[in-house]
Amino acid sequence: MSEPSSTEAVQAPATVTTPAISRRSDLVQLAVAALTAHGLAPDFSAAALAELASIAGPAQEAGPSIRDLRALPWCSIDDDDSQDIDQLSCCEPSGSGWTVSVAIADVDALVHKGSAIDLQAQRNTTSVYTAARVFPMLPERLSTDLSSLGAHQDRLAIVTAMVVDGEGQVSGFTVCRAQVRNQAKLAYDALAAWLDDSGEMPAAARAAPGMDAQLRGQDAAAQALRKRRTAQGALQFETFEPRAQVEGEQVVAISQREHNRARQLIEEFMVATNICTAQFLEKHGGLAMRRVVRSPERWSRVVDVAEKYGDSLPAEPDSRALEAFLERRRMADPLRFPDLSLTIVQLMGAGEYVIEDAQPGVPVDHSKTVAVEDYGHFGLAIRDYAHSTAPNRRYPDLISHRLVKAVLAEAPSPYSVAELQALAEHCNRQESAARKVERSLRKSEAALFLQGKIGAEFDAIVTGKNNRGTWIRTLVPPVEGKLEGAGAQVDVGEKLRVKLLSTDVALGFIDFAPLP
């Protein structure tokens, strides 16, 4: 089994952190250096900031092509501290199922193609999230205010209305531009507690008449969508996602992000919307930037992993069989399931952006496109998928919206084939760079949290072992590190007690020793 991603580089012997790296501001400096080293811009250009200053307020457009949907019971569901709200949702009963509507912020209405802000966003292509500081793709006045679907604000959006039957099948959908208004800004954890009957209804939901029934309907529709996707072979992972909590200049806690029922609700609605976006563009003959996870080339190694657990998988890639195996392991050993999830994710390979084959007769470099039969997202067990639900923080979604709006307006595509091909390759590179920055900062955040706890003891589980060493994950707090002096007898999956030996915040190294 592969070691966790946080230990990809060969680790040198860790040393005790110097006092110079001890605060949140030090983490910010590390983040800025990491972004710069990976070709990402930590700050906005003077031209982008000057352009931002010239924007008077939210986009104001009207006309027969923009519907007024502000009266619908829209709500947003996101992290507690999120202000860059990209999506709203609402749900109404329809026959034996529901009509699920998802509104996505029309960022393009303010950030025009080729503008200084657009070119700045195009450089990084994504927001980069660290505990010490968020490096947004768009200036905060845009992403957290003028183009954010904040509570009780009138905003422009792209709305996808989907007809979902009781079995979770989307039988039809429409796409339009609209004015929307967020009636209740909600957070994942509080909403999940209420949906699970373990907490009170969030105050923002109580303040919106009828929101209780609305949210129960959304939850039911999302669970129907989830059940159908799982039956079709969509893979359900529980990856290791520690999150540092920072107060003032200190990292005060590290906690594992729980994949709860409210997160499932938004995940299902966003997946369904992204499918509809791809199908909409394909139906109307438009170019699209697809998000794909190809059939795993290292499937034989996935098969080998299953055999180590006494299970078997077909010789050829089969998402349904893989999901059934994952579910059996989730039920049999929930404690170790995140480590198995990580192994399978690594073997599947990263997702990537590709451009569908162009119209007949249009010159195209076919080495940089995919044919219709090659489309697909193996992890989601679907063919059609295009990122379109996070335009405030992900550049491919902004591209998708421009393509959709061109179709709606019966206008030419705003991008040439060559432009889209170059952008897809660039987005792949920058997304990979952003992941590396976030991963390195998570390690440094954990090292900073633990640097004053040398000698402390923790319960842990062995997550990886090879000729470079042995790696563990402590249970509380959820932190990864290297196990020194483990000996040949320690094996992957074993639970043990460990003592913290040393940390290095700059390098993100954390070393432990086994206890008798």
Side-chain angles (χ1 to χ4, degrees):
M1 186 177 293
S2 302
E3 68 268 24
S5 59
S6 62
T7 53
E8 288 178 345
V10 177
Q11 290 194 357
T15 57
V16 177
T17 301
T18 63
I21 303 179
S22 59
R23 301 170 300 170
R24 175 185 193 156
S25 52
D26 298 323
L27 290 177
V28 172
Q29 292 179 12
L30 288 177
V32 168
L35 264 79
T36 304
H38 286 90
L40 299 168
D43 298 300
F44 293 100
S45 67
L49 293 176
E51 189 173 89
L52 175 67
S54 70
I55 299 176
Q60 301 291 333
E61 292 186 47
S65 64
I66 300 177
R67 298 182 60 189
D68 185 353
L69 301 180
R70 290 175 294 178
L72 291 180
W74 299 105
C75 69
S76 63
I77 307 171
D78 215 310
D79 288 315
D80 295 79
D81 54 355
S82 291
Q83 299 299 322
D84 51 346
I85 306 298
D86 283 302
Q87 76 276 335
L88 306 179
S89 55
C90 67
C91 177
E92 298 297 331
S94 177
S96 61
W98 310 266
T99 296
V100 174
S101 295
V102 172
I104 305 298
D106 186 356
V107 175
D108 173 65
L110 283 175
V111 182
H112 304 301
K113 181 177 183 287
S115 65
I117 294 174
D118 179 58
L119 294 177
Q120 176 82 39
Q122 188 181 118
R123 176 171 178 179
N124 283 9
T125 77
T126 182
S127 294
V128 180
Y129 294 89
T130 75
R133 176 182 164 188
V134 173
F135 299 86
M137 183 184 78
L138 298 174
E140 288 190 6
R141 181 167 169 253
L142 278 173
S143 61
T144 67
D145 181 14
L146 302 184
S147 62
S148 176
L149 304 180
H152 311 300
Q153 301 294 322
D154 294 344
R155 294 288 185 267
L156 285 172
I158 306 294
V159 174
T160 303
M162 298 165 282
V163 179
V164 182
D165 68 21
E167 300 301 315
Q169 180 173 355
V170 178
S171 59
F173 65 89
T174 60
V175 179
C176 71
R177 298 188 67 196
Q179 282 269 6
V180 297
R181 185 178 180 86
N182 186 353
Q183 310 291 349
K185 182 178 181 293
L186 306 173
Y188 288 123
D189 293 344
L191 178 59
W194 177 72
L195 289 173
D196 291 334
D197 297 322
S198 60
E200 295 184 355
M201 188 178 190
R206 291 199 304 270
M211 191 57 68
D212 51 350
Q214 170 65 211
L215 291 170
R216 295 293 184 190
Q218 290 193 38
D219 177 58
Q223 290 302 315
L225 287 164
R226 185 177 182 82
K227 183 177 180 180
R228 182 176 180 82
R229 283 203 310 115
T230 302
Q232 292 177 330
L235 306 180
Q236 307 295 336
F237 295 113
E238 291 179 16
T239 52
F240 183 64
E241 295 184 76
R243 186 178 186 183
Q245 180 182 342
V246 178
E247 293 181 2
E249 282 289 306
Q250 304 301 315
V251 178
V252 298
I254 304 282
S255 60
Q256 168 73 352
R257 175 174 288 177
E258 298 296 332
H259 191 64
N260 56 42
R261 201 172 180 96
R263 292 184 186 276
Q264 290 176 0
L265 189 161
I266 292 302
E267 177 182 295
E268 295 306 323
F269 286 1
M270 297 308 104
V271 168
T273 302
N274 286 328
I275 292 171
C276 290
T277 298
Q279 292 176 346
F280 176 82
L281 291 171
E282 182 178 347
K283 176 182 177 181
H284 292 89
L287 288 169
M289 184 181 286
R290 299 284 183 127
R291 180 69 172 180
V292 303
V293 174
R294 301 178 191 275
S295 182
E297 294 181 358
R298 292 181 286 180
W299 178 257
S300 62
R301 293 185 60 188
V302 176
V303 173
D304 291 342
V305 170
E307 288 180 351
K308 291 179 181 179
Y309 287 93
D311 214 318
S312 62
L313 290 171
E316 296 298 321
D318 186 325
S319 62
R320 284 190 176 91
L322 179 55
E323 170 54 23
F325 162 67
L326 291 171
E327 181 58 25
R328 288 193 291 272
R329 295 312 309 167
R330 180 189 288 107
M331 297 298 293
D333 194 349
L335 178 63
R336 296 171 176 84
F337 186 71
D339 306 303
L340 172 61
S341 292
L342 178 60
T343 298
I344 300 300
V345 167
Q346 290 174 330
L347 291 174
M348 284 176 58
E352 59 182 310
Y353 296 106
V354 299
I355 307 304
E356 65 179 315
D357 263 343
Q359 304 275 338
V362 177
V364 58
D365 181 351
H366 287 281
S367 68
K368 298 178 181 178
T369 63
V370 292
V372 171
E373 61 269 19
D374 295 328
Y375 293 160
H377 194 300
F378 185 84
L380 297 175
I382 53 178
R383 193 197 69 137
D384 303 304
Y385 201 69
H387 274 168
S388 64
T389 54
N392 270 312
R393 36 188 146 175
R394 204 166 51 193
Y395 197 72
D397 304 57
L398 185 53
I399 292 173
S400 291
H401 272 203
R402 289 172 178 156
L403 296 171
V404 167
K405 289 172 69 174
V407 171
L408 291 173
E410 299 181 351
S413 171
Y415 295 95
S416 69
V417 175
E419 278 184 291
L420 283 178
Q421 289 174 337
L423 283 168
E425 294 175 6
H426 176 67
C427 288
N428 288 333
R429 288 193 299 269
Q430 299 303 79
E431 183 182 84
S432 175
R435 283 199 303 267
K436 291 175 182 177
V437 171
E438 291 174 343
R439 189 160 57 235
S440 70
L441 264 293
R442 282 198 299 268
K443 292 188 287 184
S444 292
E445 291 157 7
L448 180 56
F449 175 68
L450 291 176
Q451 72 171 346
K453 299 176 174 59
I454 304 301
E457 299 179 5
F458 306 89
D459 290 321
I461 183 171
V462 179
T463 56
K465 184 177 182 180
N466 58 21
N467 57 5
R468 295 187 297 174
T470 301
W471 286 265
I472 64 165
R473 169 170 56 87
T474 58
L475 303 185
V476 180
V479 167
E480 294 174 318
K482 191 174 184 181
L483 187 65
E484 299 289 355
Q489 72 277 9
V490 176
D491 202 2
V492 172
E494 183 177 340
K495 290 181 65 176
L496 71 171
R497 188 80 173 167
V498 299
K499 179 175 68 174
L500 179 63
L501 291 180
S502 60
T503 66
D504 187 315
V505 179
L507 296 177
F509 292 164
I510 303 173
D511 283 3
F512 297 90
L515 290 172

